[in-house]
Amino acid sequence: MFENLQERLERSFKILKGEGRITEINVAETLKDIRKALLDADVSYRVAKDFCEKVKVKAMGQNVLTAVKPQQMMVKIVRDELADFMGSESQDINIKGNPGIVLVAGLNGSGKTTFSAKLASNIKSKRGMKVMLAACDTFRPAAIEQLKVLGEGIGVPVYTEEGVKDPIRIAGNAIKAARAEGCPVVIIDTAGRLAVDQELMDEISALHDAVRPTESLFVVDAMTGQDAVETAKIFNERLDFDGVVLTKMDGDTRGGAALSIKYVTGKPIKFISTGEKMEAMDVFHPDRVADRILGMGDVVSLVEKAQEQFDEKQARETRKKLARDKFGLMDFYNQIQQVKKMGNIKDLAGMIPGMDRAIKDVDIDNDKAFKGIEAIIMSMTPQERDNPEIINGSRRKRIAEGSGTNVAEVNKLLKQFEQTRKMMKSALTGNIAQRMRAFRR
């Protein structure tokens, strides 16, 4: 996401390259280019104009330090203003209550049902709370079945009422059922609707008034750009929702909706969704997104994702095995599975400063990236996985045939494994030596 905008902004900042100081002339030229970049990113003219005006006021009011170049100063000002336009800081959802009720609304095809399940999975796994999903989309025939399948996949109960078409009744009974079953959170998945359909808008408004949610979220497809912003504005006038969820962010290289929606509606973006998998949902951090737009990476989010998948018990076992030279290919395989759980490899690499440009045109598929390695390891015998040094020429040939690869690929994996093992052991040894030195002091 934001690829096109990032490239255009980089070109805009180059106007100031070599300039000794910020002047009204070079700022005006830079901002003219930035405004065009924002318009190309599907940001509305009014929002782009207001943004550039704010940047101009800050830029012209700066006493540029001699150690800071005008280009660097402008990057910082634009970065801070981008973060401010998108909400400055992340906003949590309110799920306190008996039970806490989250109402999920939005247009047809925006991804409400999938997001409802993702949110349930997130609350269950990260907050340790029981959740119930309420199937209140009585218009789309497959919606209830879809929610049931998703709920089953994440181990969350789904409340349904066969043949009932009244979403207010279903939601009310779901809330009663949640109380009875000790579920502190209910997520209500509603039918998609069009902002121009008065009858459907009246219905969602009546449902909102009836259940009095502790949190109402408006789900919108980020790829619809300015239309998403206008729709959010109309829905907000009827529902006065608490926050926005942007879905399909992985399919939008422009990012106009993310840049405009908070500024226009006054309501924060709370989550972004980037795929069908239940883990493909993140809390929206305006400051981190601003960093990524300007190619500064997002190391904080990368570390957080790693910590989420970090298994302390497994880490202790790995350290022991490394110390005893018992770290085998099955341990290597298990580490690959943890990396895969962190998310899309290309997205993860893009969080490292400068890496997004390097891999911009590289197509990385998680499953394909590790498929050959996994097949090779699983084609080995348990003895071979524990003792890779016994894998001679004939064994390599057998493993290659069994995994659908070739001997060169098997050799490459064994070499990579050995390098990884040495690197990990070296890091472990270094840590132990460091602790010993500290102890002696």
Side-chain angles (χ1 to χ4, degrees), residues 93-282:
I93 55 171
N94 179 14
I95 50 176
K96 293 177 182 175
N98 183 31
I101 303 163
V102 182
L103 182 73
V104 180
L107 294 183
N108 293 317
S110 59
K112 294 179 307 305
T113 302
T114 302
F115 169 73
S116 296
K118 285 182 179 182
L119 182 60
S121 177
N122 181 280
I123 292 170
K124 179 188 173 188
S125 62
K126 295 187 180 179
R127 306 191 191 213
M129 299 172 75
K130 288 177 70 178
V131 188
M132 179 176 284
L133 285 158
C136 293
D137 182 350
T138 57
F139 282 88
R140 188 164 63 92
I144 295 172
E145 193 55 40
Q146 181 189 357
L147 196 64
K148 280 182 180 178
V149 171
L150 291 171
E152 188 178 346
I154 58 175
V156 169
V158 178
Y159 184 88
T160 63
E161 287 193 24
E162 198 72 38
V164 177
K165 295 293 182 183
D166 181 3
I168 293 176
R169 174 181 155 182
I170 297 169
N173 288 338
I175 292 165
K176 289 175 186 173
R179 283 197 194 105
E181 294 177 28
C183 281
V185 183
V186 177
I187 299 171
I188 300 172
D189 177 36
T190 67
R193 54 208 74 233
L194 299 172
V196 294
D197 192 318
Q198 193 60 45
E199 186 181 341
L200 287 174
M201 290 300 287
D202 288 343
E203 183 194 86
I204 189 68
S205 185
L207 178 59
H208 183 275
D209 292 343
V211 300
R212 295 184 181 179
T214 53
E215 183 81 16
S216 5
L217 296 172
F218 175 69
V219 180
V220 63
D221 182 344
M223 293 178 71
T224 54
Q226 286 187 47
D227 288 341
V229 179
E230 288 307 309
T231 307
K233 192 177 174 185
I234 294 166
F235 265 78
N236 191 42
E237 287 166 0
R238 292 298 302 269
L239 293 183
D240 189 25
F241 54 71
D242 300 296
V244 178
V245 178
L246 288 176
T247 60
K248 306 177 188 177
M249 285 294 285
D250 50 332
D252 183 29
T253 59
R254 298 168 301 171
L259 292 169
S260 309
I261 213 157
K262 166 65 169 68
Y263 188 73
V264 172
T265 65
K267 297 299 172 68
I269 301 168
K270 296 203 172 183
F271 298 99
I272 53 173
S273 180
T274 55
E276 291 297 317
K277 290 184 179 178
M278 291 295 102
E279 302 81 24
M281 181 194 87
D282 290 302

